């Protein structure tokens, strides 16, 4: 029996020795398998749901669930937008012909820049010069008629005034003769017939005086009316001369303001009717674009935007925001800076980029936001333990969200792994300092305001 036991022990010792000697000679595959097994075991243990441990910071066998963390930061959530925009003139005027005429010369071409008052189109002035000469002749005739009538009226007035003076003298003499005859008649020195004759002479002198005065008054009235009508004729003739002079000046069509010739409708040798467009003048550049109604309020007049065309960006500022919608959007215009006025042609199509502020709050990655159907929440890490924190969503811009109910500086779990529960001990991996600029597709982005 003792021999059997000794033999068994000897075999056992030999087996152990042989096993130790075979380990260095074993293939690396077996070593890798052992390492993979150990790694898989640890990974499996990490991925298992660890029940809340209120009494410590580690789970079973001291293992923590490894998670990715991000630091919540206070700031303004903004979003960059890109929309189609078209360059249009800031000011565009169709300059019409004030008078009709045949086009004699076209002095400028489309694209030329002109100063205010500079000549662009010249009409044939021949007929307008003739009209001016006729108007001046009519004025001279009216002035002659006025002068002649003035002299005639004055001469007649002087004559009538002299006749009135004579009639007044005759009336006074007849009055004295009648008074004298009446006294003599009272003394019996004159007969009744002689007294009656003296009285008749006085009545005749008085009637003659009144007639002369009436003639003088009528002359004054008629003279004033006639002269007034002639003065009106002179004034009308002066107006015709002035109009003819203006028409002659308007034969040269000039730029009403400094700008750029967009197009010219006048053709040499062609007739340009009054009111017809001779050329189109533009000044300045601005961009027209339309935004959704909910973003129009974020773009008041003066808001900076940029217009992107042919690989370059041109700064501009919103100058019109009516607020009303047209076909579901709000049309806006932004005026380009002076340095871009001569570079961008009218009609150039590009994109308008602008930034809108969506919300002020605490910013976290959208992948940290969780929902159980009734509440939005994040997992905040406090002393190595994940704690569920309910939050209120304020706004989202691609992969960033602004929330309320979370303190700035809190470490939150990004992409929480399955099995993470309130109270799970965790360890941080790839900790982010905080949400930075986050770009989305289509050139849109959300970023944290500083």
């Amino acid at each position: 029996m003792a021999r059997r036991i000794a033999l068994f022990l000897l075999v056992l010792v030999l087996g152990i020795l042989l096993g130790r000697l075979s380990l260095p000679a074993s293939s690396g595959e077996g070593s890798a398998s052992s390492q993979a097994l150990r790694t898989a075991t640890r990974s499996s243990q990490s991925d298992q749901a660890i029940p809340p441990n209120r009494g410590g910071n580690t789970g079973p066998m001291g293992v923590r669930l490894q998670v990715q963390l991000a630091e919540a930061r206070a700031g303004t959530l903004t979003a960059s937008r890109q929309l189609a925009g078209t360059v249009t003139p800031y000011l565009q005027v169709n300059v019409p012909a004030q008078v009709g005429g045949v086009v004699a010369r076209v002095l400028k071409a489309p694209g030329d820049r002109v100063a205010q008052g500079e000549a662009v189109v010249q009409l044939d002035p021949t007929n307008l010069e003739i009209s001016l000469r006729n108007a001046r002749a009519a004025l001279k005739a009216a002035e002659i008629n006025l002068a002649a009538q003035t002299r005639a009226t004055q001469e007649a007035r002087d004559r009538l005034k002299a006749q009135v003076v004579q009639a007044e003298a005759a009336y006074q003499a007849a009055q004295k003769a009648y008074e004298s005859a009446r006294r003599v008649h009272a003394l019996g020195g004159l007969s009744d017939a002689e007294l009656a004759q003296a009285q008749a002479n006085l009545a005749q002198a008085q009637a003659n005086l009144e007639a002369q005065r009436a003639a003088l008054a009528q002359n004054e009235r008629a003279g004033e009316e006639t002269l007034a009508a002639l003065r009106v004729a002179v004034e009308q003739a002066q107006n015709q001369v002035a109009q003819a002079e203006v028409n002659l000046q308007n034969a040269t069509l000039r730029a009403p303001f400094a700008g750029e010739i967009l197009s010219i409708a006048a053709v040499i040798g062609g007739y340009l009717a009054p009111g017809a467009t001779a050329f189109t003048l533009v000044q300045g550049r601005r961009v027209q674009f339309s935004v959704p109604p909910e973003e129009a309020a974020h773009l008041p007049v003066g808001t900076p935007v940029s217009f992107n065309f042919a690989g370059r960006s041109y700064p501009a500022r919103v100058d019109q925001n009516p607020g009303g919608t047209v076909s579901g959007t709000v049309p806006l215009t932004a005026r380009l800076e002076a340095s871009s006025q001569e570079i961008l042609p009218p009609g150039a199509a590009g994109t308008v980029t602008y930034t809108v502020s969506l919300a002020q709050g605490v910013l976290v990655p959208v992948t940290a936001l969780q929902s159980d159907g009734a509440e939005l929440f994040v997992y905040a890490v406090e002393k190595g333990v994940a704690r569920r924190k309910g939050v209120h969503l304020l706004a989202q811009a691609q992969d960033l969200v602004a929330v309320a109910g979370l303190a700035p500086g809190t470490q939150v779990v990004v992409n929480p792994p399955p099995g993470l529960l309130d109270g799970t001990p965790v360890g941080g991996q790839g900790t982010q300092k905080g949400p930075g600029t986050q770009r989305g597709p289509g050139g849109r982005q959300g970023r944290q305001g500083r």
Side-chain angles (χ1 to χ4, degrees):
M1 183 65 180
R3 292 179 63 185
R4 291 181 178 179
I5 294 175
L7 182 61
F8 173 76
L9 292 175
L10 178 60
V11 173
L12 180 61
V13 171
L14 289 175
I16 294 174
L17 291 175
L18 290 174
R20 289 183 177 178
L21 292 174
S22 64
L23 284 176
S26 63
S27 66
E29 180 178 350
S31 177
S33 299
S34 300
Q35 181 66 26
L37 179 59
R38 289 193 296 271
T39 302
T41 302
R42 287 197 300 270
S43 175
S44 175
Q45 291 173 349
S46 299
D47 291 341
Q48 291 177 357
I50 303 176
N53 185 353
R54 306 299 182 183
N57 294 331
T58 60
M61 302 179 67
V63 177
R64 293 176 179 271
L65 185 61
Q66 296 301 311
V67 295
Q68 291 183 339
L69 301 177
E71 182 181 349
R73 293 286 184 89
T76 300
L77 184 64
T78 61
S80 180
R81 302 285 190 257
Q82 277 192 349
L83 298 171
T86 305
V87 175
T88 61
Y90 185 79
L91 179 63
Q92 178 172 329
V93 173
N94 295 327
V95 180
Q98 300 296 321
V99 295
V102 177
V103 178
R105 291 187 299 167
V106 177
L107 307 174
K108 298 293 178 180
D112 289 349
R113 300 193 66 82
V114 294
Q116 182 178 8
E118 191 171 355
V120 179
V121 176
Q122 175 68 58
L123 302 180
D124 185 354
T126 303
N127 292 334
L128 299 175
E129 290 172 346
I130 294 174
S131 297
L132 177 59
R133 290 196 295 269
N134 291 338
R136 287 173 176 170
L139 172 61
K140 184 176 294 186
E143 290 173 342
I144 292 173
N145 289 337
L146 175 61
Q149 187 62 39
T150 300
R151 287 193 302 270
T153 301
Q154 187 62 45
E155 290 172 358
R157 186 171 301 169
D158 292 341
R159 184 175 62 256
L160 290 174
K161 285 181 177 180
Q163 292 175 357
V164 169
V165 171
Q166 293 175 359
E168 288 177 345
Y171 172 74
Q172 292 174 359
Q175 190 175 25
K176 290 178 180 179
Y178 172 71
E179 293 295 334
S180 176
R182 191 167 60 83
R183 287 193 298 271
V184 174
H185 177 270
L187 296 175
L190 286 177
S191 63
D192 292 340
E194 291 174 333
L195 179 61
Q197 184 62 45
Q199 186 175 9
N201 292 339
L202 176 60
Q204 181 64 37
Q206 183 178 5
N208 184 48
L209 175 59
E210 292 176 354
Q212 294 299 328
R213 287 175 174 172
L216 177 59
Q218 182 178 3
N219 172 269
E220 290 177 347
R221 288 193 302 271
E224 289 300 326
E225 292 173 356
T226 302
L227 292 178
L230 292 176
R231 291 190 190 101
V232 170
V234 170
E235 185 176 356
Q236 290 176 342
Q238 290 172 341
N239 292 339
Q240 291 174 356
V241 170
Q243 184 62 58
E245 291 174 344
V246 171
N247 291 343
L248 183 59
Q249 292 175 359
N250 288 337
T252 302
L253 282 75
R254 303 178 182 275
F257 53 83
E260 177 184 346
I261 302 296
L262 183 63
S263 62
I264 296 181
V267 179
I268 296 178
Y271 181 79
L272 197 60
T277 297
F279 61 93
T280 301
L281 184 65
V282 298
Q283 184 185 73
R285 300 287 191 273
R286 62 182 175 184
V287 180
Q288 291 182 338
F289 61 104
S290 297
V291 301
E294 63 272 13
E295 293 187 1
H298 298 288
L299 295 169
V301 172
T303 301
V305 300
S306 63
F307 178 69
N308 308 302
F309 175 73
R312 292 186 58 183
S313 180
Y314 301 90
R317 289 187 178 273
V318 175
D319 66 340
Q320 288 185 4
N321 184 346
T325 60
V326 177
S327 300
T329 59
V330 179
L332 275 68
T333 61
R335 187 167 188 177
L336 292 159
E337 293 186 353
S339 59
S340 308
Q341 301 300 316
E342 298 182 7
I343 301 176
L344 293 170
T351 58
V352 177
T353 303
Y354 61 93
T355 300
V356 293
S357 298
L358 302 180
Q360 181 81 23
V362 177
L363 308 183
V364 297
V366 67
T367 52
L369 197 63
Q370 302 294 305
S371 174
D372 61 2
E375 180 187 37
L376 293 175
F377 63 92
V378 298
Y379 283 110
V381 177
E382 298 177 355
K383 298 180 179 180
V385 177
R387 297 298 183 189
R388 174 170 166 162
K389 299 288 185 181
V391 295
H392 174 65
L393 179 64
L394 301 177
Q396 177 180 351
Q398 297 303 317
D399 49 3
L400 274 182
V401 291
V403 299
L406 188 66
T410 301
Q411 294 289 333
V412 297
V413 178
V414 180
N415 294 315
L420 181 63
L421 299 173
D422 184 31
T424 300
V426 296
Q429 291 182 347
T431 303
Q432 302 177 12
K433 295 298 184 182
T437 300
Q438 304 290 331
R439 291 190 180 273
R444 301 189 176 200
Q445 68 180 22
R447 60 177 178 269
Q448 176 185 355
R450 300 294 183 188

